[in-house]
Amino acid sequence: MEMNDGDNEEFGFSRNYFLAKELRGSGKRSHSKLSDIDVVDEQELIAAASKIEPKHEKEVKELMNSYKSSYSEWAFELRCGLGLLMYGFGSKKALLEDFASTSLTEYSVVVVNGYLPGINIKQVVAALAELLWDQLKSKRKNPGSSSKVQQPFSSRSMDDLLAFLDEDRTNECFVCVVIHNIDGPGLRDSETQQVLARVASCSHICMVASIDHVNAPLLWDKKMVHTQFNWCWHHVPTFAPYKVEGMLIPLILAHGNTTQSAKSATIVLQSLTSNAQSVFKVLGEYQLSHSNEEGMPVDNLYASCRERFLVSSQLTLNSHLTEFKDHELVKTKRNSDGQDCLHIPLTNEALEKLIAELSQ
């Protein structure tokens, strides 16, 4: 029986697969370790990456220009009360900003960079309220009847800010919020998404956003998608590099230097509450003073935080720890006594820099 080239290739693949399975079960293990890899310095890798010439620039530019014909349609959808959600491979930052600058000139526009980890959602909503207030002042002498209008927006509660954005007014004043990566690390928690959904449903707000994570739609329930955000989905692959969005992503092939590690952790911690930062400091100080131990037992951390009135219950502490783990600031492992211990995956030098930064 003769075999053609396709059959030979398939046979070779099958044979290699079963050989690999056989070797895996033979008990032989590789002694290679990740630390054996001779990785380059981070700055060297960044410099080398910056010299890589982009490919298919002409085609990418033509593709981006082809979307300009849809701008009028997108603007019309916004005027009809829909939110625009852009998805597809490639950075959509330039596309969204070009659309906003050319087709949304009648709106005041706020741009939110969701790919940054340190976003303060309260500041974003306050900025929207400030812009709307400025529009109202320019259109009439008495922009609002509420006694709280004169109160600085930065000091008002989130509910007050949202009520101001959604107040029923006869004049047509709108603020458009453009969110690059609404699924970004600084925005993807449930509480922030609920706030954004409420913002999108306000009568004086329209929203344009982009997503890149494959699981981004899981951030929203049916009400958020169809009633609050009221998304109109647009597939707009650009194939443009994620140069700006990827700046803060750790480089896998590079040694992270101490300063960079501490800086990255500081950016993340500054996006958390002051109580969360204080809990992290307690853990960090313990780790520095007990460097020979495997980590700080969870029970010990709870007791220390209770003494300092940082947490009122184990549930509160667990919510902080979940945030730390989600941001890869803390790892859990079991010590020789069977206790769950918490460990910050930083060198002592980097951890000292981080705690000093938080103490300022």
Side-chain angles (χ1 to χ4, degrees):
M1 179 178 176
E2 294 184 0
M3 297 177 67
N4 57 34
D5 290 341
D7 292 335
N8 282 328
E9 185 177 347
E10 185 176 349
F11 174 75
F13 175 81
S14 303
R15 183 173 179 276
N16 290 336
Y17 171 79
F18 287 109
L19 280 174
K21 294 283 284 185
E22 184 179 340
L23 287 172
R24 187 182 298 176
S26 66
K28 294 180 181 180
R29 291 189 178 182
S30 170
H31 296 289
S32 301
K33 295 179 290 185
L34 191 61
S35 58
D36 295 334
I37 301 174
D38 186 21
V39 292
V40 299
D41 178 75
E42 184 172 11
Q43 295 305 317
E44 288 182 35
L45 188 57
I46 291 173
S50 66
K51 295 177 183 176
I52 298 174
E53 294 185 6
K55 297 181 178 180
H56 310 295
E57 284 186 291
K58 180 183 176 183
E59 290 81 1
V60 168
K61 187 176 180 179
E62 288 176 353
L63 180 61
M64 293 281 281
N65 287 332
S66 71
Y67 293 129
K68 292 181 184 291
S69 61
S70 300
Y71 284 5
S72 58
E73 176 192 340
W74 298 348
F76 177 75
E77 289 169 349
L78 283 177
R79 287 193 290 271
C80 292
L82 297 172
L84 303 182
L85 187 64
M86 311 302 188
Y87 69 100
F89 183 80
S91 172
K92 290 160 284 294
K93 182 176 172 64
L95 176 66
L96 265 59
E97 291 183 359
D98 184 63
F99 167 62
S101 64
T102 58
S103 301
L104 302 180
T105 52
E106 73 269 30
Y107 300 102
S108 295
V109 178
V110 173
V111 177
V112 180
N113 295 320
Y115 50 81
L116 297 176
I119 294 177
N120 186 318
I121 190 63
K122 174 76 178 296
Q123 291 178 358
V124 171
V125 180
L128 295 173
E130 290 278 5
L131 275 177
L132 180 59
W133 170 246
D134 289 342
Q135 283 191 39
L136 293 170
K137 281 195 299 183
S138 67
K139 290 203 172 186
R140 58 179 181 174
K141 292 182 179 179
N142 182 23
S145 57
S146 173
S147 61
K148 291 187 178 180
V149 167
Q150 299 302 324
Q151 182 183 353
F153 288 106
S154 58
S155 62
R156 294 171 64 172
S157 71
M158 183 65 79
D159 286 336
D160 282 344
L161 291 171
L162 292 169
F164 176 76
L165 293 174
D166 199 32
E167 190 175 323
D168 187 21
R169 301 178 178 92
T170 53
N171 58 334
E172 292 187 1
C173 291
F174 294 96
V175 177
C176 182
V177 55
V178 176
I179 307 178
H180 300 302
N181 293 100
I182 196 172
D183 55 343
L187 299 176
R188 68 173 61 138
D189 62 280
S190 176
E191 184 179 350
T192 301
Q193 290 293 325
Q194 290 286 349
V195 171
L196 289 172
R198 290 178 65 188
V199 168
S201 65
C202 289
S203 57
H204 293 275
I205 298 294
C206 54
M207 186 174 287
V208 182
S210 66
I211 56 173
D212 281 292
H213 198 289
V214 66
N215 292 324
L218 298 178
L219 294 171
W220 312 306
D221 57 30
K222 188 175 181 180
K223 176 186 175 183
M224 294 166 73
V225 171
H226 299 295
T227 306
Q228 294 177 305
F229 285 121
N230 201 15
W231 290 132
C232 186
W233 299 67
H234 290 280
H235 184 223
V236 287
T238 65
F239 300 97
Y242 294 96
K243 285 184 178 179
V244 179
E245 297 92 329
M247 283 178 63
L248 291 176
I249 298 174
L251 299 172
I252 297 172
L253 298 177
H255 282 301
N257 59 59
T258 298
T259 304
Q260 186 66 27
S261 300
K263 182 180 177 182
S264 300
T266 302
I267 291 172
V268 173
L269 283 167
Q270 285 175 344
S271 69
L272 305 180
T273 64
S274 57
N275 258 28
Q277 294 176 25
S278 298
V279 171
F280 186 87
K281 281 174 63 179
V282 171
L283 177 58
E285 288 165 357
Y286 180 93
Q287 184 167 314
L288 290 172
S289 60
H290 298 78
S291 55
N292 294 328
E293 296 185 10
E294 298 173 82
M296 185 177 190
V298 177
D299 293 341
N300 291 11
L301 178 61
Y302 175 63
S304 297
C305 292
R306 275 294 292 260
E307 288 174 7
R308 304 184 194 197
F309 301 102
L310 297 176
V311 298
S312 57
S313 66
Q314 184 72 48
L315 188 64
T316 307
L317 177 63
N318 288 343
S319 68
H320 290 318
L321 294 179
T322 299
E323 282 187 310
F324 298 156
K325 292 171 185 174
D326 287 346
H327 291 95
E328 298 182 351
L329 293 171
V330 169
K331 295 187 180 296
T332 306
K333 59 182 178 181
R334 187 155 292 182
N335 65 11
S336 53
D337 296 331
Q339 290 179 300
D340 285 332
C341 292
L342 302 166
H343 174 76
I344 300 170
L346 291 174
T347 63
N348 284 353
E349 185 184 353
L351 188 53
E352 286 172 359
K353 286 180 180 290
L354 176 56
I355 290 176
E357 194 80 29
L358 292 175
S359 301
Q360 290 180 356

